[in-house]
Amino acid sequence: MRGSDGYNESLFSTVKLEEFVPANHPLRPIRTWMNESLAKMDERFSAMYEADVKGGRPSIAPEKLVRAMLLQVLYSVRSERQLVEQINYNLLFRWFVGLSIEDAVWNHSVFSKNRDRMIQHDVVIELFNATVDMAKARDLLSGEHFSVDGTQIKAWAGHKSVRRKDVSDDDRDSEDWRGERRSNETQASRTDPDSQLYRKSSAAPALPSFFGHIATDNRHGLVVNVQTTKATGTAKRDAAATMLDEIKVRGQHITVGADKAYDTRGFVRACRDIDVTPHVAQNVTRIGGSAIDGRTTRHIGYEISQRKRKCIEPCFGWAKTVGPMRQVMARGLDRVNHAFTLTMAAYNLTRLRNLAASGV
C-alpha cells in the first residue's frame, strides 16, 4: 500500500542527539579527548571571565566555542558565519559542540569578541599542549628524534595594500607599482602591517606572508611544537632553534632532521650549543660548502633522520588543504599564530584517532 506524503510535527520528542551519531563515527574519540582536555582547563576559562564576575549576562561557554572552532578546521568551513549556520541545522555539529536540539545558536560575532580573550589567555596553546600530553601518555613519542621545517602562510592582504612606510606614495594609484623595486625595509602592507613580502623561489611572486614552523616527533609524525613568525630570511632557523630548546629535556641527547635550508653554520652551531645533533641535509652547492661533515653523515642515524624528516610534509599539506592555512583569514601575527596552533592541534587529534584505529 502506498504511504501518504504527510508531515506532522510532534509536540514532544524523546529522541537524543547521541542516537543520531553512529557508534563508529570518527568524531566520537576526538570529542572524548576534547572533553578531557577542556575539563583540565577549567581554571584558565574561569580566569578569562574573572573581570566580568560582578555582573552581566552569562557568556557562551568557552568550551563550546573551542569545540566549534575545532569543527571549523576539521570540516574546512570557510567562515564563522557559515559555521554558525551549519551548527544551526547539522545535528552532528550540535552534538559535537554540546547543544541540544532546542538550544539556540549564538551569533557569529561571538567568535570575534572572544578570540582576543582566548589569545590573551593562551587557550589554544593549552589545547595543543594537551594533544602532545595525550601522545606521551600513549607512548607515541620517541622524545629523542625530531624534525623541523617551516612553510609560507599567505597573509589576508593583497599587493594593493603594500605601500611605502614614509607615506610618500599616498597620492599614487594603489595599482601603479610595476617597475618599482619593493622591499620590506621601505614598504609594508596597510591591511596587515605584521605581514612581509616573501617569495618561495625566483620564479614565484613576492606575496605578503607569514611563516608557520613546526617540530615533529619522528616516531609517528606528531607535532610537538609550533610557532608562527614574520617572513624574514632567518626566521626558519631561528624558530627551529627556539622550538628545539623548548622541547629538549635537560641531560638528554636528541637529534633533529631538516632540509638544505637549515644547512648553515649558525644553525648547526646553535643546535650543538644546546646539545642537539643536527642531521641536516647537506647543501654542497652553497658558497663555503656544507656545515655538516662526515663525522655526522657517516652514522646510520643520519640516514634515518633524512628519511623520517619527510614525514613533516603531510602536516603542512593537511593544514593547507583541510585546514585554513593556505591563505589565513586572520590579520596580525597573534591571530595568525592562534589559527595555526589550532590547526596543528586538530591535526594531532586526527592523527591520534587514526593511530588508535590502527591499533598502535
Side-chain angles (χ1 to χ4, degrees):
M1 181 178 69
R2 177 184 176 183
S4 62
D5 184 20
Y7 177 75
N8 294 319
E9 193 75 45
S10 299
L11 183 60
F12 300 103
S13 175
T14 59
V15 178
K16 299 180 180 179
L17 281 178
E18 186 79 19
E19 299 176 5
F20 289 97
V21 183
N24 60 347
H25 196 281
L27 275 184
R28 280 193 176 274
I30 292 179
R31 188 176 189 270
T32 301
W33 295 333
M34 279 288 294
N35 290 342
E36 293 175 1
S37 301
L38 293 174
K40 298 176 182 178
M41 297 167 61
D42 184 68
E43 292 185 5
R44 188 178 296 268
F45 289 139
S46 298
M48 285 174 55
Y49 298 93
E50 188 175 1
D52 304 326
V53 73
K54 295 182 179 180
R57 294 181 300 172
S59 68
I60 306 297
E63 294 89 344
K64 289 182 171 61
L65 294 178
V66 174
R67 293 192 200 101
M69 292 190 302
L70 189 73
L71 278 177
Q72 185 177 5
V73 176
L74 292 173
Y75 282 85
S76 307
V77 182
R78 177 173 174 81
S79 67
E80 288 153 359
R81 189 185 296 268
Q82 291 181 359
L83 175 63
V84 170
E85 180 183 346
Q86 284 266 11
I87 297 173
N88 194 37
Y89 62 74
N90 191 320
L91 296 181
L92 177 67
F93 279 29
R94 276 183 173 269
W95 166 81
F96 188 87
V97 171
L99 297 175
S100 68
I101 296 179
E102 295 84 6
D103 287 340
V105 185
W106 54 83
N107 189 273
H108 64 87
S109 62
V110 170
F111 291 102
S112 300
K113 293 178 180 178
N114 285 273
R115 183 178 291 105
D116 291 340
R117 184 178 287 169
M118 289 185 179
I119 293 174
Q120 179 183 355
H121 292 271
D122 297 331
V123 170
V124 171
I125 295 176
E126 184 70 17
L127 177 63
F128 172 81
N129 291 337
T131 65
V132 179
D133 291 339
M134 291 178 202
K136 288 180 180 178
R138 290 163 174 78
D139 196 27
L140 298 176
L141 303 178
S142 70
E144 298 177 351
H145 308 292
F146 301 91
S147 296
V148 293
D149 203 356
T151 188
Q152 177 188 16
I153 301 174
K154 295 180 183 178
W156 197 242
H159 272 295
K160 293 181 181 180
S161 69
V162 179
R163 310 301 293 267
R164 292 190 64 86
K165 293 181 180 180
D166 57 10
V167 301
S168 61
D169 60 349
D170 279 358
D171 56 342
R172 291 176 55 185
D173 185 5
S174 59
E175 297 184 8
D176 184 20
W177 53 269
R178 291 173 176 80
E180 177 185 353
R181 182 175 179 82
R182 291 179 139 192
S183 169
N184 288 318
E185 284 72 29
T186 55
Q187 273 94 2
S189 171
R190 303 285 177 86
T191 303
D192 189 350
D194 286 345
S195 65
Q196 291 192 326
L197 292 171
Y198 172 77
R199 59 192 306 173
K200 294 186 67 174
S201 67
S202 57
L207 300 171
S209 307
F210 294 93
F211 272 155
H213 314 269
I214 61 174
T216 59
D217 186 272
N218 284 355
R219 178 173 291 176
H220 293 294
L222 288 160
V223 183
V224 295
N225 205 334
V226 58
Q227 188 174 348
T228 310
T229 65
K230 295 183 178 181
T232 64
T234 62
K236 285 188 176 183
R237 298 183 289 274
D238 294 342
T242 301
M243 291 188 296
L244 291 170
D245 194 31
E246 291 175 352
I247 64 180
K248 185 182 181 299
V249 178
R250 179 171 295 182
Q252 185 180 23
H253 191 75
I254 68 175
T255 66
V256 58
D259 59 28
K260 291 182 180 180
Y262 296 84
D263 185 14
T264 64
R265 285 174 172 77
F267 177 71
V268 171
R269 188 184 309 111
C271 288
R272 288 174 175 157
D273 287 344
I274 58 175
D275 199 22
V276 175
T277 301
H279 287 173
V280 178
Q282 289 183 297
N283 185 5
V284 295
T285 61
R286 186 175 64 87
I287 298 176
S290 173
I292 301 294
D293 55 29
R295 292 175 296 177
T296 301
T297 59
R298 66 184 178 182
H299 296 288
I300 187 63
Y302 178 83
E303 182 182 348
I304 296 174
S305 292
Q306 284 300 298
R307 187 168 62 251
K308 297 292 288 187
R309 72 172 175 83
K310 298 175 184 178
C311 295
I312 205 171
E313 297 301 334
C315 305
F316 293 136
W318 191 93
K320 293 186 177 183
T321 53
V322 178
M325 303 314 300
R326 183 176 296 277
Q327 185 173 22
V328 61
M329 295 179 66
R331 289 171 180 157
L333 182 60
D334 290 339
R335 293 192 174 190
V336 174
N337 183 62
H338 172 87
F340 188 60
T341 305
L342 178 65
T343 303
M344 290 297 103
Y347 175 83
N348 272 354
L349 288 170
T350 304
R351 183 81 176 122
L352 287 169
R353 180 202 62 199
N354 294 341
L355 289 171
S358 63
V360 177

